[in-house]
Amino acid sequence: MTRADEIARSRRASAPVESDAEGGSGLKLPGPPRRLLSRARRFGPLRFLFGGGEAAESRPPQTAPAKLPGELTRALRGVKLPAMPHVTEDSSRKAMPPHGAGAGRGFRARKRRVASGEPAWLLPFVLCAVLLLSVLPLARLGVAGLSGLVGGEAARLIFEAATFAALRNTLVTATGGMVVSLALGSLFAFAVALTDIRGKLVLSFAFMLPMMIPPQVTALAWVEMSGPASPLLKTLGLAPPLGSPQPLYSLSGIALLLGVQHAPLVFLALKAGLAASPRDGIEAARLAGAGPFRVFRDIVLPLATPGLIAGGAIAFVSGIGNFGIPAILGIPAGIETLPTLIFSRLASFGADTFGEVALISTLIAAISAGGLIVQQRALSGRDYRLIGHSGVRAAFALGRFRIALEALLWAVLALVLVAPLLALVASSLVPAYGVPLNFKTVSLSAYGEILFRQSITLTALKNSLFLASAAALGLLVVTVPAAYLMTRRNGALANLIAILIEVPYALPGIVLAVAFILTFAAPLPVVGVSLYGTIWIILAAYFSSFLAVSLKPVLSAFLQLDPSLEEAARLAGAGFSRRMRDVLLPLIAPAAGASVILVFLIAANELTVSALLWSAGTQTLGVAIFNLDDSGSSDLASALSVLVVVLVIALMAALEFFAKYLPEGVLPWRN
């Protein structure tokens, strides 16, 4: 024991308790110098020793310390404390920089980074990705559209006979399709969400199939099911006489199939609102003597209005930009819509083609925006807040009418889904269109031609698998950091990022394709390479179009994580990369897998975007089906379509198999 220690110990043992100069009582431990105290409080690990933090708040207030003995003061004079190490996010120990203005600024910035746990590169990376995939193409399209308005070309183009007819046909078919979608979607939504019918999961799964199947496959299946040359109707002896017109080659036929294709959108929008209907309000109305019809009219239907309006608007906007159905049904009949008009203008390429397609795409975007604005205005003036507990059981027990409703629902599914798919299979098994299917004519030659002998279809299959896989896996590089950032930040910036990600998915695919043509038609700066005419421009457009699809499951998984898990790892010294690898990624892996399958499912069957961006050697499955049908090879087109439908059902079944490992709301057909 040193001389200073002996003096201090003897003084504490013999001295009575005295009041200090400020009125406190009792001797206290020596306090640190004021300069060291101020630096220690700024330094996180020492604030528990020198005041501040939770440890300091839990202790009773301390009085001013007593003066040190002169001997101890002289013994400690000239003693310098060593530089205090601190722990950074990469777990490396570094000495604190010397005290100064520059060091203070660097330390404060470092402290903010550690406090949030967010690396410095995360926000710039997400912003750059969103700007490249969303803002840049749409801004280029907007500039082209505004230049046409200023130059007066827009008025001339819109009032051309072909453009005006295409605009009229687009509005008529989209409106008719919206009506059909509302009828079918609301029927299934009310039945699944509010009644006690059986087999709700199977009904929802089957009803979602038309939305997952490519629109050109839907159109081709319906063509094979109807008309005088239908193999299925010929086999059943129900085919109309030869020479009868094909009823689907008309505006009403296009509207009908648009309604079937987009009815699941109404179903999804309406089912979510109906599932939140207050059970106690419905039960109170019943106890008051209201019958089922009055309960439905006065309680359920007003609460379902937001879903009906939203679903109708989405179905209308989707019908405006649909290309596959108007192309299969409208081109043979000479009926053009705005998307098929863009396709024909690009096919007959001229000096003014880019300017014309930019103006037509701007017109489509304006109509789509108008539909969404009407939806917002219709909902803004009403109050739809729910009071009460949401019902988890059926609101209406159908009793003896349950079997009748179940029979109606299955009959509708048989008409809009099963019969067209059976006709598609029958058409793929006959040697030529119009030949009846029987034991003598059945053949698998179309499948052999598609899988083993047709180089074009094999190229299309390889391209679609590559594009779908690259888009599904590559988007995770963007969506995982973006979802992490959006869950850790609140405010205008996170909302802006979410809106910019949603915009390309909300716009019609034909508009997005034109935006990428305008953006990448010229060679890229610095490198001098053009993406136009290559497979990479299709991949870039897929990245932009399906970014929102990939983000939703991952964002849902991040929102359901407990932040304390990552916070504990961060306080233990784990850096961002290690926290992501060891803590976060294992927890969001099921949602990331669902994201990959959903994007792959949609991208593998996509037509609208790739129909404008493909060139020789870059055909996709959707383009191959359209080209085969357009060239008269209906058996080959049907065989390839059957393979696509089998792929869709297999992927949806895989998602359903892993449903228990996925966050809620990822699979749209689950209740």
Side-chain angles (χ1 to χ4, degrees):
M1 182 179 298
T2 62
R3 176 64 177 167
D5 292 335
E6 292 177 355
I7 296 174
R9 182 175 180 181
S10 61
R11 185 174 181 85
R12 285 196 302 268
S14 59
V17 177
E18 296 177 356
S19 300
D20 56 34
E22 295 180 8
S25 62
L27 291 175
K28 306 297 179 184
L29 291 177
R34 188 176 302 275
R35 184 176 178 184
L36 178 61
L37 179 63
S38 62
R39 292 185 61 188
R41 285 177 175 170
R42 289 200 305 268
F43 185 59
L46 292 182
R47 66 176 182 268
F48 295 102
L49 298 176
F50 297 109
E54 295 177 0
E57 292 175 359
S58 61
R59 296 195 304 265
Q62 298 182 1
T63 57
K67 295 182 179 180
L68 292 176
E71 297 86 347
L72 184 57
T73 302
R74 288 190 295 272
L76 293 177
R77 185 176 298 152
V79 176
K80 296 183 179 179
L81 293 176
M84 182 64 65
H86 66 282
V87 180
T88 61
E89 284 199 337
D90 57 359
S91 300
S92 61
R93 301 181 68 85
K94 300 179 181 179
M96 282 184 60
H99 184 71
R105 285 193 297 269
F107 184 78
R108 284 194 295 271
R110 181 78 178 179
K111 184 179 179 181
R112 284 195 298 269
R113 175 182 170 185
V114 173
S116 64
E118 177 187 311
W121 57 265
L122 183 62
L123 180 59
F125 173 78
V126 173
L127 289 179
C128 288
V130 172
L131 289 175
L132 289 175
L133 296 177
S134 176
V135 178
L136 180 62
L138 298 181
R140 181 68 182 87
L141 178 64
V143 170
L146 289 177
S147 63
L149 292 175
V150 174
E153 294 295 325
R156 179 192 61 79
L157 181 64
I158 291 175
F159 288 103
E160 283 185 0
T163 309
F164 189 79
L167 175 60
R168 182 190 65 241
N169 295 336
T170 301
L171 294 176
V172 169
T173 54
T175 304
M178 179 187 67
V179 174
V180 176
S181 296
L182 285 172
L184 294 176
S186 59
L187 171 65
F188 275 79
F190 283 121
V192 169
L194 296 180
T195 67
D196 59 346
I197 61 172
R198 296 162 293 187
K200 293 183 178 182
L201 180 59
V202 179
L203 283 170
S204 300
F205 184 90
F207 191 70
M208 291 298 299
L209 269 176
M211 189 179 73
M212 300 297 179
I213 295 175
Q216 69 274 15
V217 173
T218 300
L220 183 60
W222 278 74
V223 169
E224 300 292 350
M225 185 186 68
S226 59
S230 169
L232 180 63
L233 295 183
K234 281 182 172 293
T235 303
L236 299 176
L238 301 176
L242 292 176
S244 301
Q246 170 58 262
L248 295 177
Y249 291 160
S250 60
L251 290 176
S252 58
I254 296 174
L256 174 63
L257 264 64
L258 288 177
V260 172
Q261 184 80 23
H262 302 140
L265 298 175
V266 179
F267 172 75
L268 294 177
L270 187 56
K271 187 184 70 171
L274 292 176
S277 298
R279 182 180 68 246
D280 49 0
I282 295 176
E283 292 177 352
R286 285 178 173 176
L287 292 176
F293 176 76
R294 187 171 182 182
V295 171
F296 179 82
R297 184 194 64 189
D298 295 343
I299 298 180
V300 175
L301 194 57
L303 293 177
T305 301
L308 287 172
I309 295 176
I314 296 172
F316 176 80
V317 171
S318 300
I320 291 291
N322 192 291
F323 172 77
I325 292 175
I328 297 292
L329 303 182
I331 291 178
I335 300 174
E336 277 193 331
T337 60
L338 291 177
T340 57
L341 179 62
I342 292 176
F343 180 78
S344 62
R345 294 292 174 94
L346 285 175
S348 57
F349 192 83
D352 300 329
T353 298
F354 280 164
E356 292 177 353
V357 298
L359 288 174
I360 298 174
S361 301
T362 305
L363 180 60
I364 295 176
I367 297 174
S368 303
L372 296 177
I373 290 173
V374 170
Q375 169 202 352
Q376 184 180 9
R377 292 291 299 273
L379 297 176
S380 60
R382 305 184 183 185
D383 190 353
Y384 295 103
R385 287 174 293 178
L386 300 178
I387 301 176
H389 299 287
S390 298
V392 294
R393 64 172 184 262
F396 298 97
L398 299 178
R400 64 180 184 272
F401 296 105
R402 184 175 68 175
I403 297 179
L405 180 59
E406 291 173 350
L408 175 62
L409 296 177
W410 285 110
V412 172
L413 280 179
L415 177 62
V416 303
L417 180 64
V418 179
L421 293 182
L422 288 178
L424 196 65
V425 173
S427 178
S428 68
L429 296 176
V430 296
Y433 182 61
V435 177
L437 178 65
N438 52 48
F439 289 106
K440 296 181 180 180
T441 59
V442 66
S443 173
L444 297 175
S445 60
Y447 292 96
E449 187 76 16
I450 288 294
L451 294 175
F452 305 110
R453 292 185 291 275
Q454 279 279 347
S455 60
I456 296 179
T457 56
L458 291 177
T459 301
L461 178 61
K462 293 177 183 177
N463 290 337
S464 289
L465 293 179
F466 166 73
L467 289 170
S469 302
L473 296 174
L475 279 173
L476 288 180
V477 179
V478 179
T479 54
V480 171
Y484 178 88
L485 180 70
M486 294 169 66
T487 53
R488 297 303 186 269
R489 284 177 176 258
N490 295 319
L493 182 61
N495 294 334
L496 178 62
I497 293 175
I499 292 173
L500 293 178
I501 290 176
E502 290 285 348
V503 166
Y505 183 70
L507 285 176
I510 203 83
V511 175
L512 191 64
V514 172
F516 271 82
I517 291 175
L518 296 174
T519 304
F520 296 106
L524 295 175
V526 181
V527 295
V529 177
S530 176
L531 296 182
Y532 185 67
T534 67
I535 198 171
W536 305 111
I537 190 174
I538 303 178
L539 181 61
Y542 281 7
F543 267 67
S544 177
S545 181
F546 305 134
L547 181 59
V549 179
S550 178
L551 177 67
K552 182 180 178 181
V554 180
L555 183 60
S556 299
F558 270 114
L559 289 173
Q560 295 182 19
L561 290 181
D562 188 354
S564 61
L565 298 175
E566 185 195 5
E567 185 67 16
R570 187 178 67 83
L571 293 177
F576 176 76
S577 60
R578 188 170 183 182
R579 296 198 309 270
M580 185 65 69
R581 182 184 71 244
D582 296 342
V583 179
L584 299 178
L585 287 182
L587 296 176
I588 68 168
S595 170
V596 170
I597 297 179
L598 283 174
V599 174
F600 185 92
L601 178 65
I602 300 174
N605 306 313
E606 198 281 328
L607 172 66
T608 305
V609 174
S610 55
L612 297 187
L613 300 179
W614 75 278
S615 59
T618 63
Q619 299 96 330
T620 61
L621 284 175
V623 174
I625 292 173
F626 173 73
N627 289 339
L628 288 172
D629 179 72
D630 190 51
S631 63
S633 303
S634 61
D635 56 335
L636 300 182
S638 299
L640 188 56
S641 299
V642 170
L643 295 178
V644 168
V645 172
V646 171
L647 176 64
V648 169
I649 296 176
L651 291 175
M652 291 179 64
L655 284 173
E656 177 61 33
F657 180 78
F658 294 105
K660 60 182 179 180
Y661 304 107
L662 303 178
E664 294 183 4
V666 170
L667 301 184
W669 57 83
R670 292 191 66 86
N671 296 320

